[in-house]
């Protein structure tokens, strides 16, 4: 799977989450999977999948009858890394982000211990 640095909107990430979870899927299957928490028209999902294909985030795998099937062309990890890198750049580094997480109670002592464990290992390759 490609690690292309692709910028995605929130809804595009929701569509990608469906594909990362179920793998290859048709527009209808993606729409139905999204229906659990969001009402989206078939044509909206179709348009989003076409945009994701243009961005290189998904690829068409085959056609079954009239239905095109799509699969992810980028990993969830690569998209998350890009979002986090953009956020860190926007807020001026990790310190403001960590301070916010601590102040709002969204970073627990267990989380900090896990961060410390990773920091001791060094950067991931």
């Amino acid at each position: 799977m490609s690690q292309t640095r692709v910028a995605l909107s929130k809804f595009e990430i929701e569509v990608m989450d469906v594909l990362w979870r179920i793998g290859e899927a048709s527009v209808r299957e993606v729409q139905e999977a999204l229906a659990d928490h969001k009402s989206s028209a078939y044509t909206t999902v179709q348009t989003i999948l076409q945009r994701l294909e243009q961005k290189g985030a998904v690829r068409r795998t085959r056609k079954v009858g009239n239905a095109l099937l799509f699969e992810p062309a980028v990993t969830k990890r690569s998209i998350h890394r890009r979002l986090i890198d953009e956020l860190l750049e926007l807020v001026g580094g990790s310190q403001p982000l960590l301070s916010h997480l601590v102040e709002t109670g969204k970073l627990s002592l267990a989380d900090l211990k896990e961060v410390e464990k990773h920091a001791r290992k060094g950067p991931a390759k």
Side-chain angles (χ1 to χ4, degrees), residues 80-94:
H80 286 175
R81 282 181 180 226
R82 177 170 177 98
L83 288 170
I84 292 166
D85 288 346
E86 288 175 359
L87 177 62
L88 290 172
E89 188 176 314
L90 183 66
V91 300
S94 60

Side-chain angles (χ1 to χ4, degrees), residues 2-3 14-15 29 33 45 47-48 50 54 59 64 67 74 81 85 90 94 99 106-108 110 117 123:
S2 171
Q3 300 304 314
E14 290 177 24
V15 169
E29 291 167 325
V45 174
T47 299
I48 293 299
Q50 289 169 348
Q54 290 169 352
R59 64 178 151 257
V64 177
V74 295
R81 282 181 180 226
D85 288 346
L90 183 66
S94 60
S99 294
K106 294 179 180 174
L107 187 66
S108 69
K117 184 173 88 176

Side-chain angles (χ1 to χ4, degrees), residues 58-76:
V58 302
R59 64 178 151 257
R60 292 181 196 189
T61 56
R62 58 195 169 108
K63 189 172 183 178
V64 177
N66 288 333
L68 292 171
L69 298 179
F70 296 88
E71 70 180 7
V74 295
T75 65
K76 189 173 190 173

Side-chain angles (χ1 to χ4, degrees), residues 7-64:
L8 303 179
S9 70
K10 184 177 180 190
F11 187 59
E12 288 172 333
I13 290 173
E14 290 177 24
V15 169
M16 290 299 300
D17 276 334
V18 170
L19 291 174
W20 288 321
R21 189 175 66 249
I22 64 177
E24 184 184 64
S26 67
V27 174
R28 177 73 60 208
E29 291 167 325
V30 172
Q31 181 204 17
E32 289 171 358
L34 289 170
D36 293 342
H37 58 77
K38 178 180 267 189
S39 173
S40 300
Y42 177 91
T43 53
T44 301
V45 174
Q46 183 177 40
T47 299
I48 293 299
L49 283 165
Q50 289 169 348
R51 284 187 191 156
L52 288 168
E53 183 180 27
Q54 290 169 352
K55 291 179 177 186
V58 302
R59 64 178 151 257
R60 292 181 196 189
T61 56
R62 58 195 169 108
K63 189 172 183 178
V64 177

